[in-house]
Amino acid sequence: MNLRVVAEADLAFILEDGVYGFGWPINVVNPDGASQGLTGYSADIEQLIDDDTGTAVTGRLATAAIRIKTLTIGLPIAIADATKKPWLITFDDINGTEYTFKVQDSAPDRALGIVVVTLELWKS
Amino acid sequence: MVDTIPALMTGEDNFEVVRDQIAGLIKANADEQVILAAAEPDPSLWELRVFTERSNAWEQFVNIDVNDAAANFSPIVNVWFDRSQFPGATGNTVDYQRSSSTFNIDIVGFASSADDGGTGQIPGDQEAALVNQRGIRFVRRILMAAENRHLQLDRTVVGNRWIQSITSFQPQLDSNPAQQIVGSRIAFTVEFLEFAPSADLSNLLEEIRIDVHRTEDGEIVLQQQFGESPP
């Protein structure tokens, strides 16, 4: 079997295993308001890497990684146009507190079928 | 054996007084603006939170809850002393030197993306920049107001004040932090006198000292001392 196809299939275990893996419930809302609940990988940490110095600096970094094949409402991308709604991502932290973020940056890997989105704070 | 300064050194140097006065003027005027804006839809837009010599005053934006109605999103201002330069051609070696000091006034603005209530959104990055620039606007106007020509300090001590530059720090493209924060720095130069501690001057040669004064009717007069040791 083609290894790339195998790698994509493995995303079911890497990203979407919410029982024995690190998969986490994520809700995605597209600019048209369509909502989809799925399992993916979420991160919300308090550390950035300064591009100039390579050192860690304080700053909240929230991201999500989603299997593209699972998405039925479209591919999350950054919407800069203020006349349009953005893509929104919602997930809980480990203590059950819900956070809603706006997609600030999207990095789809169409070869392996995974999209990593960088998130910014969203005022609900 | 050396001569030592006989009196205990207390009180602040003028650079400390000027720094605190800058912060005080910004704070007092911002508070007054909020009162004057009582009839406006959102008087809090005139609010500034003022700090001095803080290394991380904007830390409260890092973990702020954007959905907390009680959270304060007003621009943060931090006034800190940067450097003093003492031109050798002014002042004297005995009792005072003219200082040209730079104070950095950092202004930090925060905002988050939000629904605009219609079919679009309020972009947090742009909003943070606008909040920051609102803070710059207020601080610049306060410091350069005619009333603050001498920072409302003794004009024989504080000579001039001037904004040297305003610099904004744009977020790095690849950092993508969750918070939208924009910072700016106003480099503010103030010229004033720094006084030396009193010393025994009986062994000094005669010194001629001329003081320049402005009388109540605006006339400039010169006062000169002969054959007397400075106080």
Side-chain angles (χ1 to χ4, degrees):
Chain A
M1 180 181 286
N2 181 285
L3 289 178
R4 187 185 291 183
V5 173
V6 172
E8 197 284 331
D10 285 345
L11 293 176
F13 306 104
I14 298 170
L15 294 182
E16 299 183 322
D17 185 351
V19 177
Y20 300 105
F22 284 99
W24 200 254
I26 295 173
N27 191 69
V28 182
V29 179
N30 70 11
D32 295 327
S35 173
Q36 179 182 1
L38 47 78
T39 301
Y41 188 80
S42 70
D44 187 356
I45 63 173
E46 202 70 24
Q47 207 170 64
L48 299 172
I49 301 298
D50 183 276
D51 289 333
D52 292 332
T53 63
T55 57
V57 296
T58 300
R60 188 173 181 178
L61 179 62
T63 60
I66 300 169
R67 187 182 183 189
I68 294 178
K69 196 173 188 177
T70 304
L71 287 163
T72 59
I73 58 174
L75 181 69
I77 58 174
I79 305 287
D81 190 341
T83 65
K84 299 177 182 175
K85 298 291 186 191
W87 280 83
L88 298 177
I89 304 277
T90 302
F91 52 81
D92 293 355
D93 66 11
I94 194 63
N95 296 308
T97 303
E98 182 180 281
Y99 293 97
T100 298
F101 301 94
K102 163 189 163 182
V103 173
Q104 181 182 183
D105 182 69
S106 174
D109 182 341
R110 295 178 177 84
L112 287 178
I114 179 172
V115 58
V116 178
V117 291
T118 307
L119 308 169
E120 67 174 86
L121 298 178
W122 176 261
K123 187 173 183 178
S124 300
Chain B
M1 188 68 180
V2 299
D3 290 332
T4 58
I5 298 171
L8 179 67
M9 288 188 286
T10 59
E12 294 177 320
D13 260 9
N14 283 336
F15 79 90
E16 299 168 282
V17 174
V18 169
R19 178 206 57 214
D20 292 343
Q21 184 71 358
I22 292 170
L25 288 173
I26 296 172
K27 177 61 177 170
N29 278 275
D31 288 349
E32 180 66 18
Q33 287 294 307
V34 172
I35 295 172
L36 293 172
E40 297 291 327
D42 186 1
S44 71
L45 292 178
W46 279 261
E47 181 181 351
L48 297 173
R49 288 184 286 170
V50 184
F51 301 85
T52 56
E53 302 290 355
R54 302 304 299 272
S55 63
N56 196 9
W58 58 273
E59 193 277 340
Q60 48 202 296
F61 285 149
V62 174
N63 290 301
I64 197 169
D65 182 355
V66 297
N67 293 306
D68 183 359
N72 193 335
F73 301 105
S74 300
I76 289 174
V77 178
N78 182 41
V79 182
W80 55 282
F81 169 70
D82 185 11
R83 65 181 183 274
S84 283
Q85 292 176 300
F86 298 88
T90 55
N92 60 63
T93 59
V94 177
D95 52 359
Y96 72 88
Q97 295 82 43
R98 179 171 294 280
S99 162
S100 178
S101 295
T102 300
F103 300 87
N104 288 328
I105 304 167
D106 292 341
I107 302 157
V108 180
F110 172 92
S112 69
S113 294
D115 196 304
D116 68 350
T119 59
Q121 59 173 307
I122 299 172
D125 49 356
Q126 180 187 54
E127 197 65 18
L130 296 180
V131 170
N132 170 254
Q133 289 163 14
R134 188 176 77 225
I136 294 173
R137 180 198 323 152
F138 290 157
V139 170
R140 189 197 68 77
R141 291 184 184 182
I142 291 169
L143 295 180
M144 297 311 293
E147 299 92 324
N148 299 324
R149 168 73 173 84
H150 300 282
L151 300 181
Q152 300 189 28
L153 294 171
D154 187 343
R155 63 172 56 196
T156 63
V157 175
V158 177
N160 190 23
R161 90 278 185 247
W162 193 256
I163 290 179
Q164 278 197 323
S165 65
I166 301 176
T167 307
S168 281
F169 301 97
Q170 288 297 322
Q172 294 174 317
L173 276 174
D174 296 330
S175 294
N176 291 334
Q179 312 95 328
Q180 295 294 352
I181 298 175
V182 176
S184 295
R185 173 166 294 165
I186 295 178
F188 189 60
T189 300
V190 184
E191 295 180 356
F192 53 88
L193 301 180
E194 286 283 22
F195 296 96
S198 58
D200 180 6
L201 304 171
S202 59
N203 294 326
L204 294 176
L205 297 177
E206 178 187 21
E207 178 171 337
I208 297 175
R209 170 176 158 174
I210 300 176
D211 295 319
V212 180
H213 300 276
R214 184 193 296 273
T215 61
E216 289 185 355
D217 60 359
E219 183 178 2
I220 305 295
V221 298
L222 303 178
Q223 182 181 18
Q224 188 170 9
Q225 294 177 339
F226 293 97
E228 294 179 3
S229 298

